[in-house]
């Protein structure tokens, strides 16, 4: 996924701010979607898997801090930049504690906001690729037989074929056959790649074998 495919969501109750920032980002080559309130954004937040967020701090009804808290509760947190015209250290700390990756005070220069958004977009892309990898690994694991999962669990624990074979009551040659099948189903070209993809996906060896 390229940066151009990642949507920058702007949440601000001031139409002029939304429009000017959207114009700046569009000119810089970003895909942009604007939202007039935190509540409006929350309606679609759970379906946003390839975006980052620029939100004002002080908004009616749901402010920026509360928005971050609700996104965290929904497990829908995005790389977020908090902007405000009334910033102070306490607010910045609270924003960071609730997941904001940057806190920018108005008025800001276009260079400052573009640099921050560039970092957020890069993180969003990395997050999206990691989630896609996790999904692919989980789907591939579902294709494994119980014995294949047991062999994979042993491999991920760093056990040699002889030990895996002894633990499962089968021959080392049979283990080699299962391991080759596992690598084919997981689309891993090497043992190192097999281990890395499962680790990156957060897959636990104990959970695999059960």
């Amino acid at each position: 996924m390229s940066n151009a495919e990642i949507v920058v969501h702007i949440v601000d109750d001031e139409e002029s701010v939304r429009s000017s920032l959207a114009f700046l980002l569009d000119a810089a080559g970003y895909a942009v979607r604007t939202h007039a309130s935190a509540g409006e954004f929350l309606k679609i937040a759970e379906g946003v898997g390839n975006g980052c967020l620029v939100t004002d701090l002080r908004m009616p009804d749901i402010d920026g801090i509360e928005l971050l808290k609700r996104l965290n509760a929904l497990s829908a947190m995005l790389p977020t930049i908090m902007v405000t015209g009334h910033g102070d250290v306490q607010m910045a700390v609270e924003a960071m504690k609730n997941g904001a990756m940057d806190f920018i005070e108005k008025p800001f220069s276009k260079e400052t906001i573009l640099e921050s958004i560039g970092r957020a977009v890069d993180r969003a892309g990395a997050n999206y690729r990691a989630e896609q990898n996790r999904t692919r690994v989980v789907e591939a694991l579902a294709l494994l037989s119980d014995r294949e999962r047991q062999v994979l669990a042993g491999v991920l624990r760093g056990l040699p074929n002889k030990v895996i074979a002894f633990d499962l009551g089968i021959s080392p040659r049979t283990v080699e056959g299962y391991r080759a099948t596992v690598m084919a189903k997981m689309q891993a070209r090497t043992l190192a790649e097999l281990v890395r993809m499962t680790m990156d996906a957060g897959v636990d060896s104990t959970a695999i074998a059960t």
Side-chain angles (χ1 to χ4, degrees):
M1 169 173 287
S2 68
N3 286 352
E5 296 176 273
I6 296 172
V7 179
V8 181
H9 294 269
I10 301 170
V11 178
D12 199 299
D13 59 307
E14 295 185 31
E15 195 278 333
S16 60
V17 174
R18 296 196 306 273
S19 297
S20 61
L21 187 52
F23 179 82
L24 174 64
L25 295 180
D26 182 67
Y30 292 108
V32 183
R33 185 170 175 181
T34 61
H35 311 269
S37 69
E40 181 180 305
F41 176 68
L42 284 168
K43 291 178 181 179
I44 57 97
E46 288 185 277
V48 177
N50 61 334
C52 61
L53 173 64
V54 181
T55 180
D56 193 23
L57 173 62
R58 296 181 182 272
M59 296 182 289
D61 299 323
I62 302 173
D63 65 18
I65 299 295
E66 180 61 24
L67 172 58
L68 294 185
K69 291 178 179 179
R70 296 195 187 190
L71 290 174
N72 281 316
L74 293 171
S75 298
M77 190 63 190
L78 300 174
T80 299
I81 300 163
M82 185 79 69
V83 296
T84 180
H86 309 277
D88 60 22
V89 174
Q90 184 177 354
M91 288 179 179
V93 170
E94 188 172 2
M96 298 299 182
K97 284 183 176 180
N98 283 281
M101 62 171 285
D102 208 350
F103 187 90
I104 300 176
E105 291 188 58
K106 301 175 185 176
F108 46 75
S109 68
K110 67 178 182 180
E111 291 79 13
T112 297
I113 192 68
L114 287 175
E115 181 180 345
S116 183
I117 288 173
R119 292 194 299 269
V121 167
D122 287 344
R123 184 179 295 183
N127 291 348
Y128 182 81
R129 289 188 292 273
E131 180 59 25
Q132 291 294 98
N133 177 65
R134 191 195 72 80
T135 299
R136 183 172 69 84
V137 170
V138 170
E139 290 176 348
L141 286 173
L143 301 176
L144 302 183
S145 68
D146 289 343
R147 183 64 86 192
E148 288 165 353
R149 291 168 70 92
Q150 292 169 343
V151 169
L152 174 58
V155 170
L156 295 181
R157 286 160 52 201
L159 301 178
N161 287 348
K162 289 183 179 180
V163 174
I164 296 173
F166 178 81
D167 289 344
L168 298 179
I170 56 180
S171 71
R173 184 175 295 275
T174 301
V175 170
E176 289 179 7
Y178 279 124
R179 195 171 78 173
T181 301
V182 168
M183 292 182 65
K185 288 184 178 181
M186 298 290 291
Q187 299 180 34
R189 292 167 294 182
T190 65
L191 179 60
E193 184 178 1
L194 176 66
V195 173
R196 185 176 62 254
M197 71 167 58
T198 52
M199 289 180 62
D200 289 347
V203 175
D204 181 75
S205 61
T206 303
I208 289 175
T210 56

